[in-house]
Amino acid sequence: MQRPRILVVSRNAAALSAVCECLDQAGLRTITAGSAAAAEVAATDLRTEAILLDLGDGRADEARRLAGALRRLGDARPIVAALAPAEDTAIPDGVFDLVIRRPCHPHQVCARMQEALRLGVQAAEARLRRRTLTDLGVKLPPEPEPDRQKLAVLFVGSADPSFMHLRSALSAADVDVMAAFTSFTAFDYLHDRIFHAVVLGALQGVEPAFTICSAMRRNTRLFHVPALLLVDNSRFDAVDEAFARGASDIISSSAPAAETRDRILSLAAERQRGIALRNAFDQVRDPAVLDRPTGLFNRDVFAAHLRRMAEWSDHSGKPLSLAVIRVQPSVFSEKPPAPAALDSARKQFGLMLRHLTRSEDFAARLDSGVYVVAMPATSVEEARAAAERIRSAAECAAYDGGGDGGVRIALQLSCVELGGGESGARLLKRGVDGLSRARTAPRAESAAS
């Protein structure tokens, strides 16, 4: 049976059944506990990845104590999220990793938990990379301080009283608010500077806001920027569609200023943390550990870091998977490429690979045409899906073969997951051995090695 990933703590578990069902459907299997004492035991024994604490049943102090106790687990502690009541309940800073305020849609809770888990994995992987490079004698700059940049929020819509209400609420929190009164202006702003959240006015009609929201979710640069809809709750009846389009939250135009502020700031701070983590990953890309032709990590650094990733996987209970990739000429090429042209195409693929993987994925070049991607907190099924996405992008691209014209490539794939007690070196050997089997296997079978 699949290990539970999220522990839901509430005296009234039935009230959160829709939330649990949504999390389960998203692959975040849940388990419930009715008390903080039971939750602490379950979190330790089951090594759940996150805990969702219901603060709406009068146990805020108990929940705070539980959050503090879980911090003693160190790097292996779960993400601690609070589901706060609708009323203006004061929640001290630094107690919970994130706070989700009611009213909230089950899909909204699910999206926030998925993002929190993603950021948690990224933070752990960024720390591991610093340790690996330090052990290898690489001189790194000091760890970056928490991002103190002023939060910036973009409002998209007409300059009506609701906008003035929003700007007043955020200005009091020292947030920089910029307004765009058309969608064209909005995307100009979004591509010119960094915003930590976007508020989409939907008081005069939902379609423009839905269109912008959907466009943001199709854009890799804007995918993780929170998008909040400002609506008239007395007339708005498209909640399910809003979250299906990628909305992060829904704000009522009649909500108190404090609620509006807290909902926006919670998501904006989450985005700010994501930007800081991206900068932390960039900081450890020291030229001494990179493969110069591709910008990926080199083979020796990969071997050293994979050992640490395997140890973290065993310690945290999270999976670790590898995708090993061999680049070869496509069988659909008109003629076999010259060796120099093929070598050039392989290096071009390596340059592309970095942009086809997540920040937390550790990609390296093992040999002239062999690459590997280590994916933390990723099952082998998820790794296969990611590898197929890489294959689809790579095999559709055109590669410059110099004087020999264009080169078409094909990828052989081997995906494996770390087993209990297995070392990183053994995992890599299994992945590489899988390429030998893939060489002679039919195309449909090669991804299942």
Side-chain angles (χ1 to χ4, degrees), residues 349-410:
F349 167 77
L351 288 167
M352 178 192 293
L353 181 59
R354 183 186 165 208
H355 301 288
L356 296 176
T357 55
R358 306 168 301 179
S359 298
E360 61 269 33
D361 294 335
F362 199 74
R365 183 164 78 144
L366 296 183
D367 205 342
S368 173
V370 179
Y371 297 85
V372 61
V373 184
M375 305 180 189
T378 303
S379 69
V380 70
E381 292 81 8
E382 294 167 327
R384 285 174 183 147
E388 285 296 341
R389 289 192 294 269
I390 291 170
R391 170 146 65 188
S392 296
E395 293 185 354
C396 290
Y399 301 88
D400 182 10
D404 291 331
V407 176
R408 298 184 65 181
I409 65 169

Short mmCIF file of all heavy atoms in Angstrom, two decimals, residues 349-410:
data_model
loop_
_atom_site.label_atom_id
_atom_site.label_comp_id
_atom_site.label_asym_id
_atom_site.label_seq_id
_atom_site.Cartn_x
_atom_site.Cartn_y
_atom_site.Cartn_z
N PHE A 349 21.94 19.02 -27.34
CA PHE A 349 20.92 18.41 -26.48
C PHE A 349 21.23 18.65 -25.01
O PHE A 349 20.34 18.96 -24.22
CB PHE A 349 20.81 16.91 -26.74
CG PHE A 349 20.00 16.19 -25.68
CD1 PHE A 349 18.62 16.27 -25.68
CD2 PHE A 349 20.64 15.48 -24.67
CE1 PHE A 349 17.87 15.64 -24.69
CE2 PHE A 349 19.89 14.85 -23.68
CZ PHE A 349 18.51 14.93 -23.69
N GLY A 350 22.51 18.52 -24.63
CA GLY A 350 22.89 18.78 -23.26
C GLY A 350 22.56 20.19 -22.83
O GLY A 350 22.08 20.42 -21.70
N LEU A 351 22.79 21.16 -23.70
CA LEU A 351 22.43 22.54 -23.40
C LEU A 351 20.92 22.68 -23.21
O LEU A 351 20.45 23.44 -22.36
CB LEU A 351 22.89 23.46 -24.53
CG LEU A 351 24.40 23.70 -24.64
CD1 LEU A 351 24.75 24.35 -25.97
CD2 LEU A 351 24.88 24.58 -23.48
N MET A 352 20.14 21.93 -24.00
CA MET A 352 18.69 21.98 -23.91
C MET A 352 18.19 21.30 -22.63
O MET A 352 17.21 21.74 -22.01
CB MET A 352 18.07 21.28 -25.13
CG MET A 352 16.54 21.22 -25.10
SD MET A 352 15.88 20.10 -26.36
CE MET A 352 16.34 20.97 -27.84
N LEU A 353 18.87 20.22 -22.22
CA LEU A 353 18.39 19.40 -21.11
C LEU A 353 18.20 20.20 -19.82
O LEU A 353 17.24 19.98 -19.09
CB LEU A 353 19.35 18.23 -20.87
CG LEU A 353 18.97 17.24 -19.76
CD1 LEU A 353 17.62 16.61 -20.04
CD2 LEU A 353 20.05 16.17 -19.62
N ARG A 354 19.12 21.11 -19.57
CA ARG A 354 19.01 21.90 -18.34
C ARG A 354 17.68 22.66 -18.28
O ARG A 354 17.11 22.87 -17.21
CB ARG A 354 20.18 22.87 -18.25
CG ARG A 354 20.17 23.68 -16.96
CD ARG A 354 21.25 24.74 -16.94
NE ARG A 354 21.01 25.70 -15.89
CZ ARG A 354 21.39 26.96 -15.91
NH1 ARG A 354 22.06 27.41 -16.97
NH2 ARG A 354 21.13 27.78 -14.93
N HIS A 355 17.18 23.07 -19.42
CA HIS A 355 15.94 23.86 -19.47
C HIS A 355 14.70 22.98 -19.54
O HIS A 355 13.58 23.48 -19.54
CB HIS A 355 15.99 24.82 -20.65
CG HIS A 355 17.15 25.77 -20.60
ND1 HIS A 355 17.22 26.82 -19.70
CD2 HIS A 355 18.32 25.79 -21.30
CE1 HIS A 355 18.37 27.46 -19.87
NE2 HIS A 355 19.06 26.85 -20.82
N LEU A 356 14.90 21.67 -19.62
CA LEU A 356 13.77 20.73 -19.65
C LEU A 356 13.57 20.03 -18.31
O LEU A 356 12.74 19.14 -18.20
CB LEU A 356 14.00 19.69 -20.76
CG LEU A 356 14.05 20.22 -22.19
CD1 LEU A 356 14.38 19.08 -23.16
CD2 LEU A 356 12.72 20.87 -22.58
N THR A 357 14.37 20.42 -17.32
CA THR A 357 14.27 19.79 -15.99
C THR A 357 13.96 20.85 -14.94
O THR A 357 14.11 22.05 -15.18
CB THR A 357 15.59 19.09 -15.63
OG1 THR A 357 16.67 20.02 -15.72
CG2 THR A 357 15.87 17.92 -16.57
N ARG A 358 13.54 20.39 -13.77
CA ARG A 358 13.21 21.29 -12.67
C ARG A 358 14.49 21.75 -11.96
O ARG A 358 15.55 21.15 -12.11
CB ARG A 358 12.30 20.57 -11.67
CG ARG A 358 11.05 19.96 -12.28
CD ARG A 358 10.35 19.03 -11.31
NE ARG A 358 11.22 17.94 -10.88
CZ ARG A 358 10.88 16.99 -10.02
NH1 ARG A 358 9.65 17.00 -9.50
NH2 ARG A 358 11.73 16.04 -9.68
N SER A 359 14.34 22.82 -11.17
CA SER A 359 15.50 23.33 -10.43
C SER A 359 16.09 22.27 -9.52
O SER A 359 17.32 22.17 -9.36
CB SER A 359 15.10 24.55 -9.60
OG SER A 359 14.66 25.60 -10.41
N GLU A 360 15.24 21.45 -8.90
CA GLU A 360 15.71 20.47 -7.93
C GLU A 360 16.29 19.21 -8.59
O GLU A 360 16.92 18.39 -7.92
CB GLU A 360 14.59 20.06 -6.97
CG GLU A 360 13.38 19.42 -7.60
CD GLU A 360 12.30 20.41 -7.97
OE1 GLU A 360 12.64 21.56 -8.34
OE2 GLU A 360 11.10 20.05 -7.93
N ASP A 361 16.08 19.03 -9.89
CA ASP A 361 16.65 17.88 -10.59
C ASP A 361 18.15 18.10 -10.83
O ASP A 361 18.56 19.21 -11.18
CB ASP A 361 15.94 17.65 -11.93
CG ASP A 361 14.49 17.26 -11.75
OD1 ASP A 361 14.15 16.70 -10.68
OD2 ASP A 361 13.68 17.53 -12.66
N PHE A 362 18.93 17.05 -10.65
CA PHE A 362 20.40 17.16 -10.78
C PHE A 362 20.81 16.46 -12.07
O PHE A 362 20.83 15.23 -12.15
CB PHE A 362 21.07 16.51 -9.57
CG PHE A 362 22.49 16.93 -9.36
CD1 PHE A 362 22.79 18.20 -8.87
CD2 PHE A 362 23.54 16.07 -9.66
CE1 PHE A 362 24.10 18.59 -8.68
CE2 PHE A 362 24.85 16.45 -9.46
CZ PHE A 362 25.14 17.73 -8.97
N ALA A 363 21.14 17.26 -13.09
CA ALA A 363 21.44 16.71 -14.41
C ALA A 363 22.94 16.79 -14.69
O ALA A 363 23.60 17.77 -14.34
CB ALA A 363 20.67 17.47 -15.49
N ALA A 364 23.46 15.76 -15.35
CA ALA A 364 24.90 15.70 -15.64
C ALA A 364 25.14 14.98 -16.96
O ALA A 364 24.29 14.24 -17.45
CB ALA A 364 25.64 14.99 -14.51
N ARG A 365 26.34 15.20 -17.51
CA ARG A 365 26.78 14.45 -18.69
C ARG A 365 27.74 13.38 -18.22
O ARG A 365 28.79 13.67 -17.64
CB ARG A 365 27.45 15.36 -19.71
CG ARG A 365 27.85 14.59 -20.98
CD ARG A 365 28.16 15.50 -22.14
NE ARG A 365 29.48 16.10 -22.05
CZ ARG A 365 30.25 16.33 -23.11
NH1 ARG A 365 29.83 16.04 -24.33
NH2 ARG A 365 31.43 16.90 -22.97
N LEU A 366 27.41 12.11 -18.48
CA LEU A 366 28.26 10.99 -18.07
C LEU A 366 29.31 10.66 -19.12
O LEU A 366 30.42 10.26 -18.78
CB LEU A 366 27.41 9.74 -17.82
CG LEU A 366 26.40 9.80 -16.67
CD1 LEU A 366 25.71 8.44 -16.54
CD2 LEU A 366 27.07 10.19 -15.37
N ASP A 367 28.94 10.80 -20.39
CA ASP A 367 29.84 10.44 -21.48
C ASP A 367 29.44 11.28 -22.69
O ASP A 367 28.52 12.10 -22.61
CB ASP A 367 29.70 8.95 -21.79
CG ASP A 367 30.95 8.36 -22.42
OD1 ASP A 367 31.77 9.16 -22.93
OD2 ASP A 367 31.11 7.12 -22.43
N SER A 368 30.08 11.03 -23.80
CA SER A 368 29.86 11.86 -24.99
C SER A 368 28.38 11.99 -25.33
O SER A 368 27.89 13.07 -25.59
CB SER A 368 30.61 11.25 -26.18
OG SER A 368 30.29 11.93 -27.37
N GLY A 369 27.65 10.88 -25.34
CA GLY A 369 26.24 10.94 -25.70
C GLY A 369 25.32 10.42 -24.62
O GLY A 369 24.17 10.07 -24.91
N VAL A 370 25.79 10.34 -23.37
CA VAL A 370 24.98 9.78 -22.28
C VAL A 370 24.81 10.82 -21.18
O VAL A 370 25.78 11.39 -20.69
CB VAL A 370 25.62 8.50 -21.70
CG1 VAL A 370 24.76 7.95 -20.56
CG2 VAL A 370 25.80 7.45 -22.78
N TYR A 371 23.56 11.05 -20.83
CA TYR A 371 23.21 12.02 -19.80
C TYR A 371 22.39 11.34 -18.71
O TYR A 371 21.79 10.28 -18.93
CB TYR A 371 22.40 13.17 -20.41
CG TYR A 371 23.18 13.97 -21.43
CD1 TYR A 371 23.24 13.55 -22.77
CD2 TYR A 371 23.87 15.10 -21.07
CE1 TYR A 371 23.97 14.26 -23.70
CE2 TYR A 371 24.61 15.84 -22.00
CZ TYR A 371 24.65 15.41 -23.31
OH TYR A 371 25.38 16.12 -24.23
N VAL A 372 22.34 11.97 -17.54
CA VAL A 372 21.58 11.40 -16.44
C VAL A 372 20.94 12.54 -15.66
O VAL A 372 21.52 13.62 -15.52
CB VAL A 372 22.48 10.54 -15.52
CG1 VAL A 372 23.59 11.37 -14.90
CG2 VAL A 372 21.66 9.85 -14.44
N VAL A 373 19.72 12.29 -15.19
CA VAL A 373 18.99 13.26 -14.37
C VAL A 373 18.54 12.56 -13.10
O VAL A 373 17.80 11.56 -13.17
CB VAL A 373 17.77 13.84 -15.12
CG1 VAL A 373 17.09 14.91 -14.26
CG2 VAL A 373 18.16 14.40 -16.47
N ALA A 374 18.99 13.04 -11.94
CA ALA A 374 18.53 12.53 -10.66
C ALA A 374 17.37 13.40 -10.19
O ALA A 374 17.50 14.62 -10.14
CB ALA A 374 19.66 12.56 -9.63
N MET A 375 16.24 12.76 -9.86
CA MET A 375 15.01 13.48 -9.53
C MET A 375 14.61 13.18 -8.09
O MET A 375 14.08 12.10 -7.80
CB MET A 375 13.89 13.08 -10.48
CG MET A 375 14.23 13.26 -11.95
SD MET A 375 12.87 12.76 -13.03
CE MET A 375 13.68 12.82 -14.64
N PRO A 376 14.84 14.12 -7.15
CA PRO A 376 14.47 13.87 -5.76
C PRO A 376 12.96 13.90 -5.56
O PRO A 376 12.24 14.58 -6.30
CB PRO A 376 15.14 15.04 -5.02
CG PRO A 376 15.24 16.13 -6.04
CD PRO A 376 15.47 15.43 -7.35
N ALA A 377 12.50 13.13 -4.58
CA ALA A 377 11.07 13.06 -4.24
C ALA A 377 10.21 12.71 -5.47
O ALA A 377 9.11 13.22 -5.63
CB ALA A 377 10.60 14.38 -3.62
N THR A 378 10.74 11.81 -6.30
CA THR A 378 10.06 11.45 -7.54
C THR A 378 10.04 9.93 -7.69
O THR A 378 11.09 9.29 -7.60
CB THR A 378 10.79 12.08 -8.75
OG1 THR A 378 10.85 13.49 -8.58
CG2 THR A 378 10.08 11.76 -10.05
N SER A 379 8.87 9.38 -7.92
CA SER A 379 8.75 7.94 -8.13
C SER A 379 9.21 7.59 -9.54
O SER A 379 9.33 8.46 -10.41
CB SER A 379 7.30 7.49 -7.94
OG SER A 379 6.49 8.01 -8.99
N VAL A 380 9.45 6.31 -9.79
CA VAL A 380 9.91 5.90 -11.10
C VAL A 380 8.84 6.16 -12.15
O VAL A 380 9.16 6.48 -13.31
CB VAL A 380 10.34 4.41 -11.09
CG1 VAL A 380 9.13 3.48 -10.93
CG2 VAL A 380 11.14 4.07 -12.35
N GLU A 381 7.56 6.06 -11.79
CA GLU A 381 6.50 6.35 -12.75
C GLU A 381 6.53 7.82 -13.15
O GLU A 381 6.38 8.16 -14.34
CB GLU A 381 5.12 6.00 -12.17
CG GLU A 381 4.87 4.51 -11.97
CD GLU A 381 5.50 3.99 -10.68
OE1 GLU A 381 6.00 4.80 -9.87
OE2 GLU A 381 5.52 2.75 -10.50
N GLU A 382 6.73 8.71 -12.17
CA GLU A 382 6.83 10.14 -12.46
C GLU A 382 8.08 10.44 -13.28
O GLU A 382 8.07 11.29 -14.17
CB GLU A 382 6.83 10.94 -11.16
CG GLU A 382 5.52 10.87 -10.39
CD GLU A 382 5.65 11.40 -8.97
OE1 GLU A 382 6.73 11.26 -8.37
OE2 GLU A 382 4.66 11.97 -8.47
N ALA A 383 9.18 9.72 -12.98
CA ALA A 383 10.41 9.92 -13.73
C ALA A 383 10.24 9.51 -15.19
O ALA A 383 10.75 10.17 -16.10
CB ALA A 383 11.55 9.14 -13.09
N ARG A 384 9.52 8.41 -15.43
CA ARG A 384 9.28 7.97 -16.80
C ARG A 384 8.47 9.01 -17.56
O ARG A 384 8.75 9.30 -18.74
CB ARG A 384 8.56 6.63 -16.81
CG ARG A 384 9.45 5.46 -16.46
CD ARG A 384 8.66 4.17 -16.33
NE ARG A 384 9.52 3.06 -15.92
CZ ARG A 384 9.11 2.06 -15.17
NH1 ARG A 384 7.85 2.02 -14.73
NH2 ARG A 384 9.94 1.09 -14.84
N ALA A 385 7.46 9.57 -16.90
CA ALA A 385 6.65 10.60 -17.55
C ALA A 385 7.50 11.82 -17.89
O ALA A 385 7.39 12.40 -18.98
CB ALA A 385 5.47 10.99 -16.65
N ALA A 386 8.38 12.22 -16.97
CA ALA A 386 9.25 13.36 -17.22
C ALA A 386 10.22 13.05 -18.35
O ALA A 386 10.50 13.90 -19.22
CB ALA A 386 10.02 13.72 -15.94
N ALA A 387 10.76 11.84 -18.36
CA ALA A 387 11.70 11.45 -19.42
C ALA A 387 11.03 11.45 -20.79
O ALA A 387 11.64 11.85 -21.79
CB ALA A 387 12.29 10.07 -19.11
N GLU A 388 9.78 11.03 -20.84
CA GLU A 388 9.06 11.04 -22.12
C GLU A 388 8.81 12.46 -22.59
O GLU A 388 8.83 12.74 -23.80
CB GLU A 388 7.73 10.28 -21.99
CG GLU A 388 7.88 8.76 -21.94
CD GLU A 388 8.46 8.19 -23.23
OE1 GLU A 388 8.43 8.88 -24.28
OE2 GLU A 388 8.97 7.06 -23.19
N ARG A 389 8.56 13.39 -21.65
CA ARG A 389 8.41 14.80 -22.04
C ARG A 389 9.72 15.34 -22.61
O ARG A 389 9.72 16.10 -23.59
CB ARG A 389 7.94 15.64 -20.86
CG ARG A 389 6.49 15.40 -20.46
CD ARG A 389 6.00 16.45 -19.49
NE ARG A 389 6.68 16.39 -18.20
CZ ARG A 389 6.25 15.67 -17.17
NH1 ARG A 389 5.17 14.92 -17.29
NH2 ARG A 389 6.91 15.69 -16.02
N ILE A 390 10.84 14.94 -22.01
CA ILE A 390 12.14 15.35 -22.53
C ILE A 390 12.34 14.78 -23.93
O ILE A 390 12.80 15.47 -24.85
CB ILE A 390 13.26 14.88 -21.58
CG1 ILE A 390 13.20 15.66 -20.25
CG2 ILE A 390 14.64 15.05 -22.23
CD1 ILE A 390 14.12 15.12 -19.16
N ARG A 391 11.98 13.50 -24.09
CA ARG A 391 12.14 12.87 -25.40
C ARG A 391 11.29 13.58 -26.46
O ARG A 391 11.78 13.86 -27.57
CB ARG A 391 11.75 11.40 -25.34
CG ARG A 391 11.69 10.78 -26.73
CD ARG A 391 12.09 9.34 -26.80
NE ARG A 391 11.23 8.44 -26.08
CZ ARG A 391 11.54 7.14 -25.89
NH1 ARG A 391 12.66 6.65 -26.38
NH2 ARG A 391 10.73 6.35 -25.22
N SER A 392 10.06 13.91 -26.11
CA SER A 392 9.18 14.56 -27.09
C SER A 392 9.75 15.89 -27.55
O SER A 392 9.73 16.22 -28.75
CB SER A 392 7.79 14.79 -26.48
OG SER A 392 7.17 13.56 -26.19
N ALA A 393 10.29 16.67 -26.60
CA ALA A 393 10.86 17.97 -26.96
C ALA A 393 12.15 17.81 -27.75
O ALA A 393 12.37 18.51 -28.76
CB ALA A 393 11.13 18.78 -25.69
N ALA A 394 12.98 16.87 -27.33
CA ALA A 394 14.30 16.72 -27.96
C ALA A 394 14.21 16.17 -29.38
O ALA A 394 14.95 16.59 -30.28
CB ALA A 394 15.18 15.81 -27.11
N GLU A 395 13.30 15.22 -29.61
CA GLU A 395 13.24 14.58 -30.91
C GLU A 395 12.52 15.45 -31.95
O GLU A 395 12.59 15.18 -33.14
CB GLU A 395 12.58 13.21 -30.80
CG GLU A 395 13.43 12.22 -29.99
CD GLU A 395 12.87 10.81 -29.97
OE1 GLU A 395 11.74 10.61 -30.49
OE2 GLU A 395 13.54 9.90 -29.45
N CYS A 396 11.83 16.49 -31.47
CA CYS A 396 11.18 17.42 -32.40
C CYS A 396 12.09 18.59 -32.77
O CYS A 396 11.77 19.36 -33.68
CB CYS A 396 9.89 17.97 -31.78
SG CYS A 396 8.57 16.76 -31.64
N ALA A 397 13.18 18.75 -32.04
CA ALA A 397 14.07 19.90 -32.25
C ALA A 397 15.01 19.64 -33.42
O ALA A 397 15.31 18.49 -33.77
CB ALA A 397 14.87 20.19 -30.98
N ALA A 398 15.48 20.74 -34.01
CA ALA A 398 16.48 20.65 -35.08
C ALA A 398 17.84 21.01 -34.49
O ALA A 398 17.97 21.98 -33.74
CB ALA A 398 16.11 21.61 -36.19
N TYR A 399 18.85 20.24 -34.86
CA TYR A 399 20.20 20.44 -34.34
C TYR A 399 21.14 20.77 -35.49
O TYR A 399 21.09 20.13 -36.56
CB TYR A 399 20.68 19.18 -33.59
CG TYR A 399 19.78 18.83 -32.44
CD1 TYR A 399 18.68 18.00 -32.63
CD2 TYR A 399 20.01 19.34 -31.16
CE1 TYR A 399 17.83 17.68 -31.59
CE2 TYR A 399 19.16 19.02 -30.11
CZ TYR A 399 18.07 18.20 -30.33
OH TYR A 399 17.22 17.90 -29.30
N ASP A 400 21.99 21.73 -35.26
CA ASP A 400 22.91 22.20 -36.30
C ASP A 400 24.09 21.25 -36.40
O ASP A 400 24.85 21.07 -35.44
CB ASP A 400 23.37 23.62 -35.95
CG ASP A 400 24.28 24.20 -37.02
OD1 ASP A 400 24.39 23.59 -38.10
OD2 ASP A 400 24.87 25.27 -36.76
N GLY A 401 24.25 20.64 -37.56
CA GLY A 401 25.37 19.74 -37.78
C GLY A 401 26.53 20.39 -38.51
O GLY A 401 27.40 19.69 -39.03
N GLY A 402 26.54 21.74 -38.53
CA GLY A 402 27.62 22.43 -39.23
C GLY A 402 27.46 22.30 -40.74
O GLY A 402 26.36 22.41 -41.28
N GLY A 403 28.55 22.02 -41.41
CA GLY A 403 28.52 21.90 -42.87
C GLY A 403 27.70 20.73 -43.36
O GLY A 403 27.34 20.67 -44.54
N ASP A 404 27.40 19.77 -42.48
CA ASP A 404 26.61 18.60 -42.88
C ASP A 404 25.11 18.85 -42.79
O ASP A 404 24.31 17.93 -42.98
CB ASP A 404 26.98 17.41 -42.00
CG ASP A 404 28.38 16.90 -42.28
OD1 ASP A 404 28.84 17.07 -43.43
OD2 ASP A 404 29.02 16.38 -41.35
N GLY A 405 24.70 20.08 -42.47
CA GLY A 405 23.27 20.38 -42.37
C GLY A 405 22.69 19.98 -41.03
O GLY A 405 23.41 19.79 -40.04
N GLY A 406 21.37 19.82 -40.98
CA GLY A 406 20.69 19.49 -39.73
C GLY A 406 20.86 18.04 -39.33
O GLY A 406 21.09 17.17 -40.17
N VAL A 407 20.75 17.79 -38.03
CA VAL A 407 20.86 16.44 -37.48
C VAL A 407 19.59 16.14 -36.69
O VAL A 407 19.13 16.96 -35.90
CB VAL A 407 22.09 16.29 -36.56
CG1 VAL A 407 22.13 14.91 -35.93
CG2 VAL A 407 23.37 16.56 -37.34
N ARG A 408 19.03 14.96 -36.92
CA ARG A 408 17.89 14.50 -36.12
C ARG A 408 18.39 13.44 -35.15
O ARG A 408 19.22 12.60 -35.49
CB ARG A 408 16.80 13.93 -37.02
CG ARG A 408 16.22 14.93 -38.00
CD ARG A 408 15.09 14.32 -38.80
NE ARG A 408 13.96 13.98 -37.95
CZ ARG A 408 12.83 13.41 -38.41
NH1 ARG A 408 12.73 13.10 -39.71
NH2 ARG A 408 11.84 13.13 -37.59
N ILE A 409 17.87 13.51 -33.92
CA ILE A 409 18.32 12.56 -32.89
C ILE A 409 17.15 11.76 -32.35
O ILE A 409 15.97 12.12 -32.53
CB ILE A 409 19.03 13.28 -31.72
CG1 ILE A 409 18.03 14.18 -30.97
CG2 ILE A 409 20.23 14.06 -32.19
CD1 ILE A 409 18.57 14.72 -29.65
N ALA A 410 17.46 10.67 -31.69
CA ALA A 410 16.50 9.86 -30.96
C ALA A 410 17.09 9.57 -29.58
O ALA A 410 18.32 9.54 -29.42
CB ALA A 410 16.20 8.56 -31.70
#
